[in-house]
Amino acid sequence: DQQVKQNSPSLSVQEGRISILNCDYTNSMFDYFLWYKKYPAEGPTFLISISSIKDKNEDGRFTVFLNKSAKHLSLHIVPSQPGDSAVYFCAASPKNAGGTSYGKLTFGQGTILTVHP
Amino acid sequence: ETGVTQTPRHLVMGMTNKKSLKCEQHLGHNAMYWYKQSAKKPLELMFVYNFKEQTENNSVPSRFSPECPNSSHLFLHLHTLQPEDSALYLCASSQANRGTQYFGPGTRLTVL
């Protein structure tokens, strides 16, 4: 049973346009969400995160939106660049007993983003 | 992010071999993790160590044996593996109680 789902295996976008990557989750205990980017033959690189107390977090060209009622988050990349072409993973972490979020990340399957020049 | 290193980057082993994967983090973190990524599957958490103590074993077969001698080093000892264990093995680290994990480049393991 996959608790974190990325239903689009791939996405193709023109350079300069917006890329929107989506992620859905089922576990209501998740309260910290992250996006990672992965190039072939490299480990995942952390991009941006969001805590459940927020609905938006922005860092340069990257913005993550969280809709808790829908259990949905999305990553917006504006403007998209060819160097953004990679696999993007969303991940979620539950609160621990102490009320903080750590440790047990659950990942989605990933979405392959291709940005065409 | 080059703060987490893994060796070797590639490993081919037979089912009767014993080998070890090594991970080292230079970020001053106190939690370390092993993940497995099989083809067309999400990353699967295998083990979690906080302050050198194992706090999570995600039902991993005993042919995988982790070791964490200190907060900077993590090993994964492998013995009598099966071909289906062929995968990318990733190490990560974080501050305990903070969700952002930083990954190494991974070891591509092939079991013949």
Side-chain angles (χ1 to χ4, degrees), chain B residues 62-100:
Chain B
S62 60
R63 57 186 184 268
F64 295 92
S65 174
E67 178 190 0
C68 188
N70 54 61
S71 292
S72 299
H73 293 86
L74 185 64
F75 295 89
L76 188 62
H77 304 298
L78 316 171
H79 64 98
T80 59
L81 293 193
Q82 305 297 312
E84 58 265 31
D85 296 322
S86 299
L88 180 68
Y89 289 84
L90 289 157
C91 172
S93 72
S94 75
Q95 292 289 7
N97 299 330
R98 294 192 57 185
T100 303

Side-chain angles (χ1 to χ4, degrees), chain B residues 3 6 21 28 35 47 57 61 66 88-89 100:
Chain B
Q6 289 186 245
L21 309 185
Y35 286 87
F47 300 103
N57 177 336
L88 180 68
Y89 289 84
T100 303

Side-chain angles (χ1 to χ4, degrees), chain B residues 2-97:
Chain B
T2 56
V4 182
T5 57
Q6 289 186 245
T7 54
R9 294 294 308 275
H10 299 272
L11 178 62
V12 179
M13 60 187 289
M15 289 191 283
T16 58
N17 291 158
K18 286 185 181 180
K19 297 286 183 184
S20 295
L21 309 185
K22 179 183 176 182
C23 175
E24 184 173 358
Q25 61 93 3
H26 312 274
L27 300 169
H29 291 160
N30 41 38
M32 297 188 78
Y33 313 82
W34 279 117
Y35 286 87
K36 174 184 177 183
Q37 187 178 27
S38 304
K40 299 186 180 178
K41 283 188 172 183
L43 276 76
E44 300 172 63
L45 179 66
M46 299 175 73
F47 300 103
V48 180
Y49 278 83
N50 282 286
F51 298 98
K52 303 186 298 178
E53 299 297 321
Q54 188 181 120
T55 54
E56 185 84 23
N57 177 336
N58 206 20
S59 303
V60 181
S62 60
R63 57 186 184 268
F64 295 92
S65 174
E67 178 190 0
C68 188
N70 54 61
S71 292
S72 299
H73 293 86
L74 185 64
F75 295 89
L76 188 62
H77 304 298
L78 316 171
H79 64 98
T80 59
L81 293 193
Q82 305 297 312
E84 58 265 31
D85 296 322
S86 299
L88 180 68
Y89 289 84
L90 289 157
C91 172
S93 72
S94 75
Q95 292 289 7
N97 299 330

